[in-house]
Amino acid sequence: MTPEPFGARLRRAMDTRGPLCVGIDPHASLLADWGLSDDIAGLERFTRVVVEALADRVAVLKPQSAFFERFGSRGIAVLERAVADSREAGALVLMDAKRGDIGSTMAAYAATYLDPASPLFSDAVTVSPYLGYGSLRPALDLARESGTGVFVLALTSNPEGAEVQHAVRTGGASVAATMLDHLRAENAAENATGAMGSYGAVVGATLGDTLGAAGADLTIGGPLLAPGIGAQGATAADLPKVFGAAVRDVVPNVSRGVLRHGPDVAALRTSAARFADEVREAVDASGPGAR
């Protein structure tokens, strides 16, 4: 059987669980805030609590691979368990790996996260297109085959990103706008059936008016992962202003804003539910004209 595309599964998860992605970011300072040691035991405890608290209720969980990789093979084993347990509980798992390479190496990265036979098989992965959008083809094609998704870095929230993403190509389009154009074309087949596409972009919720400077048309027919809600300063109320007609396709990402309430399971759940409600209210208030 042909697997159900990621875009359709994501839309259903957002409609039923609320439009929110929560990061799993076990960096050293957060482990310390939880009273945990910065070692494999602390990593295991932190990850287990987040998955227990949220995997059965949020739409998307987004582990940051680097914070597991720093512990070597034992950290990767914790990540494998987190992915499997989260998906079993009903959350979609977006692996935040930001991989980008060419040829067989990119194909290997794609297989790591998007091949159902892999121990790290996830519902979607973040990728970097700055070796050229075409270099992502192994991941894009495997995603279509396996019913998974790909989120391409387009307009990131870090200020350094502008020197590449806002750069203007021959013909006048910015690099970011070019990436969004590619994704729009990638999503066309799924959009033709009335579904949201499975090929998304990463666009910072904190960017505000700078999106116009990049000539960015965010209506790509696919999801927009929007980091920056909470600790980075953006709020749910900012989303309609930043994303306009594409606001209903936004998947706001919150990490520290939720995780700082741990290790109390009830507090983590309450915080995630509050963010999801705030996003839903802001999107609903934007009116039927939004996508």
Side-chain angles (χ1 to χ4, degrees):
M1 293 180 59
T2 302
E4 184 180 20
F6 170 73
R9 294 189 290 121
L10 176 60
R11 174 63 73 199
R12 184 167 61 249
M14 292 168 66
D15 289 346
T16 58
R17 292 185 168 209
L20 189 68
C21 169
V22 178
I24 306 180
D25 296 357
H27 50 77
S29 61
L30 191 51
L31 294 176
D33 289 345
W34 280 36
L36 299 174
S37 52
D38 186 23
D39 55 20
I40 198 68
L43 177 73
E44 288 178 325
R45 172 63 178 162
F46 176 93
T47 306
R48 185 168 61 250
V49 168
V50 175
V51 172
E52 174 191 344
L54 301 177
D56 66 345
R57 60 199 64 218
V58 302
V60 183
L61 285 175
K62 183 177 70 64
Q64 170 48 259
S65 182
F67 293 126
F68 296 85
E69 293 173 35
R70 70 191 184 99
F71 291 102
S73 61
R74 295 178 69 190
I76 296 299
V78 173
L79 180 58
E80 290 175 1
R81 179 65 181 271
V83 170
D85 288 351
S86 296
R87 298 187 77 235
E88 184 177 357
L92 298 178
V93 172
L94 167 56
M95 184 63 70
D96 196 356
K98 299 184 179 70
R99 300 302 192 228
D101 216 303
I102 60 172
S104 60
T105 307
M106 191 64 219
Y109 280 138
T112 300
Y113 305 110
L114 303 179
D115 185 335
S118 170
L120 284 170
F121 177 60
S122 303
D123 296 282
V125 65
T126 58
V127 295
S128 173
Y130 296 113
L131 288 172
Y133 183 85
S135 68
L136 302 178
R137 184 49 56 191
L140 299 166
D141 289 347
L142 184 54
R144 196 177 304 277
E145 176 185 330
S146 60
T148 54
V150 171
F151 285 85
V152 176
L153 302 180
L155 283 159
T156 56
S157 55
N158 62 306
E160 302 89 349
E163 69 179 83
V164 173
Q165 296 158 16
H166 289 212
V168 176
R169 303 175 61 239
T170 302
S174 70
V175 171
T178 300
M179 297 306 154
L180 295 168
D181 287 344
H182 282 305
L183 289 168
R184 190 175 298 106
E186 210 75 51
N187 286 318
E190 288 175 62
N191 293 164
T193 69
M196 181 167 72
S198 299
Y199 301 93
V202 180
V203 178
T206 57
L207 295 179
D209 294 339
T210 64
L211 293 177
D217 177 0
L218 300 180
T219 54
I220 62 169
L224 299 166
L225 180 68
I229 302 290
Q232 293 186 47
T235 69
D238 295 325
L239 296 176
K241 178 179 64 176
V242 174
F243 292 94
V247 70
R248 294 190 184 279
D249 292 340
V250 172
V251 187
N253 173 223
V254 179
S255 295
R256 284 172 290 173
V258 171
L259 299 178
R260 66 184 179 87
H261 295 283
D264 185 280
V265 168
L268 287 166
R269 289 173 173 170
T270 298
S271 178
R274 177 176 60 82
F275 275 111
D277 286 344
E278 289 175 356
V279 171
R280 188 184 291 108
E281 289 171 7
V283 171
D284 288 346
S286 66
R291 178 181 172 83

